[in-house]
Amino acid sequence: MRVLVVEDDADLRRQLKGGLEEAGYAVDVAADGEEAEFLGGSEPYDVIVLDLGLPKVDGVTVLERWRDDGMEAPVLILTARDRWSEKVAGFDAGADDYLTKPFHTEELLARLRALMRRAAGHASAMLEVGDLSVDTRSARAFVDGEAIKLTSHEFKLLRYLAHHAGEVISRSELVEHIYDQDFDRDSNTIEVFVGRLRKKIGADRIETVRGLGYRLIPPEAAGAA
Ligand code: CA
């Protein structure tokens, strides 16, 4: 899952990027409203953290422009404690959630997980595909209740596929949602990771749809489509 962090305070920006990367997300950052508007309008983020007090273009305006352009990623706004009217303006502009500064990184992470899974149509933090379970809180996966040892890249790939279980996901979509913009993106690496994942969770769980991409399915459904 890929996250955009928009924050003009350099310390907080660094802290957020570090915390999110530690939690296994690909993270891009923007330090002002102009950069934010550009990145949010051109890259496919799974969730966006948007500070409202920004140089160049303020956060509410950025959010309004994104929504006017049809940008659908869930957005969590960061507001100052005493600025209740900012929250109202933020929600009216299309925000999905908010946090008041200062906040605990753990709370931010929990709120972002909730936003991403709701955007993908899941009510629970545990994503289930047949007997495969992907725990988005602990970053662990289980087959038939048994923990599977995955590297962080394998987990990122599996988590994205599990959020979109049953859907065909192209290699380029996987690359865009698993790596940040600075990563040297080679879609061949996706093939390698899919191969490794198949060895660990069972080859028939990740279906290759020729010319289109991959689909995470329960094993009993393999070959049915
Ligand atoms: Ca600010």
Side-chain angles (χ1 to χ4, degrees), residues 7-9 51-55 101:
E7 172 59 63
D8 58 320
D9 180 302
D51 180 34
L52 291 186
L54 291 172
K101 293 179 184 178

Side-chain angles (χ1 to χ4, degrees), residues 36-87:
E37 195 184 334
F38 173 74
L39 281 175
S42 55
E43 297 290 329
Y45 295 105
D46 295 295
V47 73
I48 296 176
V49 179
L50 176 68
D51 180 34
L52 291 186
L54 291 172
K56 294 190 185 174
V57 185
D58 71 272
V60 169
T61 304
V62 171
L63 183 51
E64 276 170 354
R65 291 181 184 165
W66 281 338
R67 294 306 190 212
D68 281 349
D69 289 344
M71 201 284 289
E72 288 181 346
V75 173
L76 180 147
I77 52 174
L78 301 177
T79 66
R81 179 163 296 284
D82 51 348
R83 306 288 290 277
W84 66 268
S85 58
E86 260 190 9
K87 283 174 214 158

